[in-house]
Amino acid sequence: MTGFGTDVASAQAAKQAVAGEFGDEAFLRCLLISPVAPPDPRNGDSQYTEDLMLVPPDGVKYVRYTDALASGEIEWGPSLHALKTWRAPFGRLPTASVRAALHVLRRLGLLLGDPVRWIRINGRFDLVHVQCMPVRFLGPRPPVLLSDSAGTFWYWSAGRGIAESRVLRLLRRERVVARLVGYLHPTANPAGDGLVFFIESGVSLAARIGIDASGAVICAAGVPSAYREAFSDGRTLLFVGRDFALKGGPDALRVFERVRAQVPDARLIVAGPDRPATVPDGVEWLGPLAREALYDQVYPRADAFLYPTRLDCAPLVVQEALANGLPILAPRIMGMPDLVRHGVTGYLFEPGNVDEAASAALELLQDRDKLTAMRAAALADFEQRFSISHRNAVLGAVYRSLVR
């Protein structure tokens, strides 16, 4: 197996070779309008930004929107709350007024709470890649690629508890407003020059609000390859999640209790949440860990990934588990069926059905041949769909098609 260090070294070597022979002009200069932590929240989208910056597609040079703001290559559009954004006060008043009106509509609950970034481009970029952010460009712009995991429908319905029927109404209204005002929205108005979803469900979710996204390219976020060979013992389950309750941690403990009743020497490793006062027998509670520690010390020790999450779209930890050859045990919700090939790279069970999940875990731990076959299938599926090399090949081809 090749490690993430190999991914990084290969990318840097290629970048240096291109720069040495042709100079910076040989690169496609891409403005990356994607969450950066800080100032944006640390989550899967900001991790996506970090991963793109660390290992970009061949021949691509990214500039984060925060760096472009600092250098003056882009600037925020005028706001009634920030007069320093007004270079020509009377000419900017209509734009600032529209921004203020949109803000009022969102505060009143007439639109979903996705703020629009108003941006003027001053620098030279060959293209723009916008991840999950609604954006209104002021003035000329190069080709724009919009991307998102699967859109915002699941976030507002399952994540924020808004009734699906209301979310659909609000997204349809957002589509009308976005077209009138002229801002791009990965879900409601994907009217850029290209569209990428991490998983196939993005296309069907767009169709629910009347958006034809059949031309979207499916390209997962891409996660590192395994750092090292596995050294598991054939009886270890792994759970990873910072938010223990939201990611199904309590269900994972109930599943493990049932597994341990049949396999007394089974173990469960828990990584992510803070350690509680008491830990059940057979559970090794590691607490918060960085990705590097998970790859180096945790994933190689596990045999299967137990992830009874209650809210997830295209979680990176599932893809990381596949990268380490771990079959996935996850509920049949949201984006999980897009990530897990049931019966091939893992098992899907009904949400909250701990007995079904436990049966699937026991099937793997009690059948070494099946576990071995499923581990090989998980690793093969990672290479084909979730690896950094696959992501960069797909994204690089999309970028080049936009700038021809």
Side-chain angles (χ1 to χ4, degrees), residues 2-12 54-55 223-226 382 388-389:
T2 58
F4 191 39
T6 304
D7 295 330
V8 176
S10 298
Q12 292 177 342
L54 190 60
V55 189
V223 297
S225 304
F382 159 75
I388 287 176
S389 59

Side-chain angles (χ1 to χ4, degrees), residues 96-114:
S97 300
V98 172
R99 290 189 67 182
L102 286 175
H103 179 69
V104 171
L105 291 175
R106 297 188 195 284
R107 291 291 297 270
L108 292 174
L110 298 176
L111 292 174
L112 291 170
D114 288 325

